[in-house]
Amino acid sequence: MGLIQRSRVKSPWILHFDNSSCNGCDIEILACLTPLYDVERFGMVNMGNPKHADILLITGPVNMRTARVLKNLYEQVPDPKVVVCVGTCASTGGVFHNCYNVLGGVDKVIPVDVYVPGCSVRPEAIIDGVLMALQKLAKL
Amino acid sequence: MMIKQFLFVLFILVGAPIVGGLLFGIDRRITARMQGRYGPPFIQPFYDFFKLLGKEQIAVSRLQFVWIYGYLVFMIASLVFLVMKSDFLLLVFLLGFAGVCLVLGGFSTKSPYAHFGANRELMQILAYEPVLLLLAIAIYAQNGSFLISDIFRQDKPLLFTLWPLFLAVLYVLTIKMRKSPFDISTCHHGHQEIVKGVTTEYSGPYFAIYHLAEWYEIILLLGIISLFWTNPLWVGILIALAAFLLELFIDNITARMTVGWMIRLSWSVGLILGIINIAYIYYTKGVS
Ligand code: SF4
């Protein structure tokens, strides 16, 4: 593994985007930053700027309004990038799947690399999902 | 003699980013520990740097890249001035140029967030530049020259006569390191400025260059602080490191304040301390 590849695995910067989730999953993502889980020990930082991010953590089902925003954000993240769906909603549409304004899971709009099911997901599962995404990132 | 000096400068130019990066790693670790977290490894900034180098380059405007290189080059130039023990006043101006490059880089894009950040960076320059200029004047008042090599020639450390300005420079260090309460134009760690302030539009390798310039910057600032005690120099370096740790402490116990507050505080406290200091030096030495 080269130096850059190695660094990629060691420093995943995260962009968290909430489509139209119930906020349950978002709270769990924030829980990952707390002292109990502290994802910064893996070098993960919650960025809030798509241009600096490597991993997109997406929660909630895509609806007609957020589809355009999501696509836009995805295009702004420089390559190499991976997308992680957090929660059942983001994976499939979940409990909202037959709402009149919901398109379904995130994979309806952008390509997804890792699905993390759960309602809401446990922080351990989120960290696990991100680590799986990193294994994929190392091969890119 | 020439060759020796050249090699020394080269050594510093290679060593400074390594030490600077490590300092930022220590910063992140200590900050995490203060917040009750475990924190990333000490060499985390280097991982970030090499990762950014390997990312895709996205061009928002072509001029932007000129400015970010300008920021790096001026920062390196001012460090060279410090290492060569050259003119302190010119060093302050070069540092100012570096800041202006960063501001223009922010303004050269169309993003309103970058514009906000650039505006605020301009305010930060406005806040710290007068204090550094006063420091240069005070050094002149004390030693009769702006040359850093003359500071090294004095037996008595500058700290004894210039301690009010030392306090003001500590303050400048917080502004320049972009730490709370002055992380106004952009900030570190997971904090978020309005998106990412002046660095919003830099991505991939260009963001890596920004980091590199920041590593040079921290070494430069700590170098300026260690000028307060140059005989022997290791005391000055210890003072600078203590100032760095104090900065981390302040960063963790304060919240971000507004731009207006920063300017008011910096101009009232910093300028008054500086002017009283210079007046006192001239009073004791007599105006020649
Ligand atoms: S998966 Fe559950 S907790 Fe998460 S957004 Fe959907 S409904 Fe809310």
Side-chain angles (χ1 to χ4, degrees):
Chain A
M1 223 194 303
L3 184 60
I4 288 179
Q5 237 99 19
R6 214 181 121 74
S7 310
R8 241 171 229 163
V9 178
K10 290 282 192 180
S11 123
W13 288 356
I14 283 168
L15 176 75
H16 164 212
F17 179 64
D18 172 4
N19 277 305
S20 48
S21 86
C22 73
N23 267 340
C25 291
D26 304 294
I27 298 285
E28 297 303 319
I29 288 181
L30 293 183
C32 296
L33 306 175
T34 57
L36 186 57
Y37 298 103
D38 183 27
V39 287
E40 208 195 346
R41 67 204 147 109
F42 305 120
M44 294 182 205
V45 183
N46 189 3
M47 262 310 172
N49 179 2
K51 301 209 165 154
H52 298 170
D54 306 292
I55 298 186
L56 273 137
L57 276 190
I58 301 176
T59 57
V62 181
N63 65 27
M64 291 178 187
R65 283 227 164 228
T66 58
R68 185 178 56 88
V69 181
L70 183 57
K71 215 183 243 161
N72 204 342
L73 281 178
Y74 179 75
E75 275 155 15
Q76 284 188 13
V77 177
D79 281 328
K81 56 190 164 193
V82 284
V83 179
V84 181
C85 286
V86 174
T88 310
C89 286
S91 308
T92 62
V95 284
F96 302 113
H97 71 100
N98 52 4
C99 289
Y100 62 94
N101 61 340
V102 165
L103 297 176
V106 170
D107 48 7
K108 291 275 193 316
V109 184
I110 56 172
V112 173
D113 298 287
V114 180
Y115 297 88
V116 185
C119 176
S120 61
V121 238
R122 296 190 61 82
E124 291 94 330
I126 297 179
I127 297 173
D128 211 32
V130 172
L131 290 183
M132 274 168 79
L134 285 180
Q135 285 164 13
K136 187 155 182 186
L137 201 62
K139 293 198 195 90
L140 285 180
Chain B
M1 182 60 205
M2 248 343 247
I3 299 273
K4 222 172 151 190
Q5 208 170 24
F6 179 75
L7 283 181
F8 182 61
V9 169
L10 207 66
F11 171 73
I12 294 284
L13 285 189
V14 175
I18 296 174
V19 179
L22 268 180
L23 280 178
F24 273 107
I26 292 172
D27 161 16
R28 280 177 72 170
R29 185 63 164 264
I30 289 182
T31 303
R33 285 293 163 90
M34 281 186 191
Q35 295 167 355
R37 297 183 288 120
Y38 184 74
F42 288 123
I43 51 170
Q44 184 64 40
F46 298 105
Y47 288 137
D48 293 348
F49 180 76
F50 287 113
K51 175 204 74 178
L52 285 169
L53 279 186
K55 290 204 68 139
E56 180 194 13
Q57 305 181 9
I58 298 182
V60 189
S61 90
R62 206 168 290 139
L63 218 51
Q64 186 186 17
F65 306 136
V66 178
W67 295 127
I68 195 72
Y69 279 118
Y71 180 49
L72 179 66
V73 167
F74 279 120
M75 203 52 87
I76 291 179
S78 28
L79 188 62
V80 169
F81 263 67
L82 185 70
V83 174
M84 301 265 290
K85 299 185 186 159
S86 196
D87 201 318
F88 187 78
L89 193 62
L90 275 181
L91 188 155
V92 173
F93 285 136
L94 279 177
L95 196 59
F97 277 137
V100 168
C101 276
L102 191 60
V103 171
L104 289 176
F107 277 131
S108 67
T109 62
K110 293 218 172 67
S111 158
Y113 306 117
H115 281 206
F116 258 111
N119 264 326
R120 289 166 167 211
E121 176 69 27
L122 210 54
M123 288 302 192
Q124 292 203 342
I125 294 176
L126 210 61
Y128 71 73
E129 202 69 14
V131 179
L132 285 185
L133 278 179
L134 281 184
L135 177 63
I137 296 173
I139 288 175
Y140 182 81
Q142 178 70 17
N143 290 345
S145 96
F146 286 118
L147 289 181
I148 296 174
S149 53
D150 281 343
I151 302 176
F152 276 86
R153 231 166 266 142
Q154 308 292 332
D155 292 330
K156 219 168 106 212
L158 282 180
L159 189 62
F160 290 153
T161 41
L162 263 58
W163 61 266
L165 262 168
F166 178 73
L167 295 181
V169 168
L170 279 187
Y171 195 97
V172 168
L173 181 68
T174 328
I175 300 180
K176 239 351 217 163
M177 274 173 73
R178 305 192 180 84
K179 291 284 185 201
S180 294
F182 305 120
D183 47 350
I184 285 171
S185 71
T186 181
C187 53
H188 300 103
H189 312 303
H191 314 182
Q192 287 164 18
E193 200 340 64
I194 304 181
V195 183
K196 208 67 188 169
V198 67
T199 59
T200 303
E201 290 293 332
Y202 289 109
S203 56
Y206 298 103
F207 197 45
I209 290 176
Y210 169 78
H211 278 292
L212 188 63
E214 227 178 14
W215 297 345
Y216 276 116
E217 187 175 35
I218 183 78
I219 295 297
L220 176 67
L221 290 172
L222 294 185
I224 289 178
I225 288 187
S226 58
L227 282 187
F228 278 94
W229 199 304
T230 47
N231 254 332
L233 190 57
W234 60 266
V235 180
I237 292 174
L238 278 188
I239 291 177
L241 286 180
F244 178 73
L245 290 180
L246 178 71
E247 234 40 85
L248 300 189
F249 187 65
I250 292 175
D251 181 36
N252 276 295
I253 58 172
T254 51
R256 176 187 303 142
M257 301 304 284
T258 59
V259 182
W261 184 81
M262 171 180 74
I263 300 266
R264 271 199 300 277
L265 199 67
S266 146
W267 280 27
S268 56
V269 178
L271 292 194
I272 288 176
L273 278 178
I275 289 171
I276 289 179
N277 200 168
I278 293 171
Y280 181 73
I281 293 174
Y282 274 122
Y283 175 71
T284 49
K285 292 181 68 161
V287 183
S288 46

